Amino acid sequence: MSQIETQSIILFDGVCNFCNGSVNFIIERDSRNRFKFAPLQSDSGQELLSQYGLNQIDLDSVILIEDNQTFMRSTAALRVAKHLDGWWSWFSIFLIVPAAIRDFFYKLFAKYRYKLFGKTEACMMPTPELRARFLS
């Protein structure tokens, strides 16, 4: 299995409408092109999960791989926010709240995200302009 470059990769649920919207939100606010993306369901996503020993992970978590470390759920989301343009980086202040408290709310939202925002039959297809930001 090949080693995939793992500097700032976001793994997300590719069939979740909210998750796909979040990826678009991040891309629009990532002027330095720091982040690359892969759906958890993709070959690249599965390879990275295996590489980091996360292959038993539920698809209810966003995963950030940064400097060969993995971050999940609210920690991943807040670490991503830290690098976004504008005032979004201020949300990283919530990293001082214990992860157990943050993740309680994260998991609650994740449990109902399909009911609230829906689900697609297949992972999103990036536009030709954005294709380089996605791992294949």
Side-chain angles (χ1 to χ4, degrees):
M1 194 175 320
S2 66
Q3 289 279 332
I4 295 175
E5 179 66 35
T6 57
Q7 179 113 21
S8 299
I9 297 171
I10 297 172
L11 302 177
F12 65 99
D13 181 353
V15 298
C16 168
N17 287 338
F18 177 80
C19 304
N20 287 323
S22 296
V23 167
N24 290 328
F25 179 89
I26 293 165
I27 288 170
E28 291 170 9
R29 289 156 184 82
D30 179 25
S31 63
R32 293 166 290 198
N33 294 332
R34 176 185 185 97
F35 299 107
K36 295 222 181 253
F37 305 89
L40 287 161
Q41 298 89 342
S42 70
D43 291 341
S44 296
Q46 290 297 304
E47 184 177 335
L48 285 164
L49 290 174
S50 178
Q51 182 178 330
Y52 285 92
L54 300 172
N55 40 352
Q56 299 300 317
I57 191 77
D58 290 328
L59 297 182
D60 72 345
S61 179
V62 63
I63 298 169
L64 173 65
I65 302 172
E66 190 171 53
D67 299 324
N68 289 314
Q69 293 183 299
T70 59
F71 304 94
M72 296 174 37
R73 298 185 179 85
S74 65
T75 301
L78 293 171
R79 288 182 68 94
V80 168
K82 180 179 175 180
H83 298 290
L84 297 180
D85 301 336
W87 58 272
W88 296 102
S89 62
W90 293 17
F91 278 98
S92 64
I93 190 84
F94 290 108
L95 286 167
I96 65 171
V97 175
I101 295 170
R102 289 185 276 114
D103 285 345
F104 171 80
F105 293 103
Y106 183 98
K107 290 175 186 178
L108 184 64
F109 178 81
K111 182 177 179 179
Y112 296 104
R113 73 188 188 281
Y114 292 148
K115 288 182 182 175
L116 294 169
F117 296 95
K119 181 177 176 176
T120 63
E121 294 298 317
C123 294
M124 72 182 275
M125 293 298 296
T127 63
E129 301 83 36
L130 296 178
R131 198 161 285 138
R133 303 283 304 269
F134 286 79
L135 302 177
S136 55

